[in-house]
Amino acid sequence: MPPAAATPLPTFTPAPGAAWQVFLVFLRLGLTSFGGPIAHLGYFRAEFVDRRRWLDDARYSDIVALCQFLPGPASSQVGIAIGMARAGWLGSLAAWVGFTLPSAILLIAFGYGISRFASIADSGAVHGLKVVAVAVVAQAVWGMAKSLCPDRPRAALAIVSALLTLTLPSTLGQLGALVACAVVGLLALEAPPAEGRALQLTQVSRTAGAFSLAAFVALLVGLLIAARSGSALVGLIGGFFQTGALVFGGGHVVLPLLQAVVVPTGAIDNAAFLAGYGAAQAVPGPLFTFAAYLGTVMHTPLQGWIGGLVFLLAIFAPAYLLVTGTLPFWDALRRRALVRAALMGVNAGVVGILLAALYDPVWTSAIHSKADFGLALVAFGLLVLGRVPPLAVVVLAAIGGAVLAGV
């Protein structure tokens, strides 16, 4: 007897006029969602599956799977997809704005503090933020390696990716490492079988999805061409857009990609860069809002809150266009074994890139003494073994840095 055809999931109809409700719900989540993308996904499930019943578990799992497949901030993309399912295109924008706004405002404010009071950047407390970045990135490498490199071939890919990234410390080197890992994944890795049931994730039409993907490609290529004009500002905006288009594996991967864009150009020095990254651990919401801090403090014509918003949009735009563009095509795409195998290789390469970043710039810029190493070790132990919330660890590291500076 032939197998029964997969039963499509019931279609969600966007609720007209409910974008304001989507915004308020995601604003509350943006104010309270600490702990990184995995924690964010837990908050989302509790809010939208258990409490509000906007989605069922199957549909929520499908959305998460799609957003893990795409480059970009997975939790923000899940929010965009949920907003789309609930209230259409306005709902998707409302979800992104609500979830992003709180941390963006806090990091822009921190950027103003660093810019106005230059001595803050050299204080012991800010050095503590640089040290805690070592612990946070080490925790990310540890967790991602366990889930994305569980076997010898993928562990080997991660090591090769780290070596390539250290040898060619630039965006081009990182991209080359990811491409090489994708090719190895295609040729040598065996992807697990895809789920058999059919999916209906959203009401986005294929035409609208194709338009989003075309806009993504046009912006990516257009910014690359425009950067050849010699404009440093256009080059930076293009670099942020490319970073948003390349970040696989979680928000922490944004660190080496952005560092390669902004530090070599002189837009910001490593000390201020890492201070902002440390501060980003202390705020709720997506780590990509680190771009708002950078836009505020970088030496560009758009300094201040305007720069913060422009670079925030630049880094999030690929995520929005990719998730809205891929939603209508996800069911067919996820069934292709070659696509899944390539993604396995890319994910292993991402672990290697983050491992290289743990050494340079994070370790080399923050660890200057045995006391610094001890503080980083304590922070790592609190995060990984004690499971202490990141906000508390960041505050303790800042206090520890201030105390060590006074000794």
Side-chain angles (χ1 to χ4, degrees):
M1 178 179 292
T7 303
L9 295 174
T11 301
F12 273 87
T13 302
W20 64 269
Q21 182 189 23
V22 172
F23 171 77
L24 291 177
V25 174
F26 274 95
L27 180 64
R28 183 173 62 79
L29 288 166
L31 288 165
T32 57
S33 295
F34 291 92
I38 300 302
H40 298 166
L41 296 179
Y43 297 138
F44 287 179
R45 187 191 174 281
E47 184 70 30
F48 300 115
V49 177
D50 292 340
R51 184 180 173 205
R52 297 183 179 273
R53 300 190 182 278
W54 287 5
L55 306 167
D56 57 16
D57 251 326
R59 188 174 302 275
Y60 181 71
S61 297
D62 291 335
I63 291 174
V64 171
L66 166 62
C67 297
Q68 296 285 8
F69 170 83
L70 295 172
S75 58
S76 293
Q77 288 169 311
V78 168
I80 290 167
I82 292 172
M84 178 72 77
R86 183 66 180 174
W89 289 92
L90 281 178
S92 67
L93 290 170
W96 175 74
V97 172
F99 190 56
T100 306
L101 195 60
S103 56
I105 290 174
L106 289 171
L107 288 171
I108 287 173
F110 182 75
Y112 271 103
I114 289 287
S115 299
R116 179 160 297 187
F117 305 102
S119 59
I120 293 178
D122 300 320
S123 67
V126 169
H127 184 70
L129 295 179
K130 300 177 198 174
V131 171
V132 81
V134 176
V136 170
V137 176
Q139 181 196 29
V141 172
W142 179 271
M144 290 169 65
K146 288 194 295 183
S147 61
L148 301 179
C149 303
D151 48 46
R152 289 182 179 180
R154 281 180 280 180
L157 275 181
I159 292 172
V160 171
S161 174
L163 293 173
L164 285 173
T165 304
L166 289 171
T167 304
L168 301 170
S170 65
T171 303
L172 186 61
Q174 294 159 359
L175 180 59
L178 291 179
V179 170
C181 289
V183 171
V184 173
L186 281 171
L187 299 176
L189 298 180
E190 183 177 353
E195 296 179 9
R197 60 191 176 85
L199 308 178
Q200 291 180 3
L201 290 173
T202 178
Q203 295 284 33
V204 178
S205 68
R206 287 190 169 229
T207 300
F211 181 82
S212 287
L213 292 177
F216 167 78
V217 173
L219 283 170
L220 185 62
V221 175
L223 286 169
L224 281 171
I225 294 173
R228 295 178 179 272
S229 67
S231 169
L233 177 60
V234 173
L236 286 171
I237 292 174
F240 275 64
F241 189 92
Q242 293 160 39
T243 296
L246 288 175
V247 173
F248 286 91
H252 292 291
V253 185
V254 80
L255 173 72
L257 295 177
L258 282 182
Q259 193 268 349
V261 170
V262 301
V263 174
T265 61
I268 189 174
D269 60 45
N270 247 334
F273 180 87
L274 286 176
Y277 184 75
Q281 314 305 318
V283 299
L287 188 57
F288 265 47
T289 51
F290 177 42
Y293 162 82
L294 293 175
T296 303
V297 302
M298 286 191 305
H299 306 300
T300 73
L302 298 178
Q303 256 186 324
W305 65 270
I306 294 177
L309 294 180
V310 167
F311 285 97
L312 185 72
L313 289 171
I315 202 169
F316 271 103
Y320 185 87
L321 293 172
L322 283 170
V323 74
T324 57
T326 310
L327 276 168
F329 307 102
W330 172 232
D331 188 52
L333 189 63
R334 74 188 183 94
R335 297 178 186 276
R336 297 183 179 274
L338 290 178
V339 172
R340 299 196 308 278
L343 183 63
M344 289 169 64
V346 168
N347 283 335
V350 162
V351 175
I353 289 176
L354 198 56
L355 179 61
L358 176 60
Y359 172 70
D360 184 19
V362 178
W363 181 282
T364 57
S365 299
I367 307 301
H368 304 306
S369 65
K370 292 180 180 178
D372 290 340
F373 176 70
L375 181 59
L377 195 60
V378 169
F380 180 79
L382 291 173
L383 287 169
V384 175
L385 303 177
R387 300 189 183 279
V388 177
L391 175 62
V393 177
V394 169
V395 172
L396 289 173
I399 294 172
V403 170
L404 290 176
V407 173

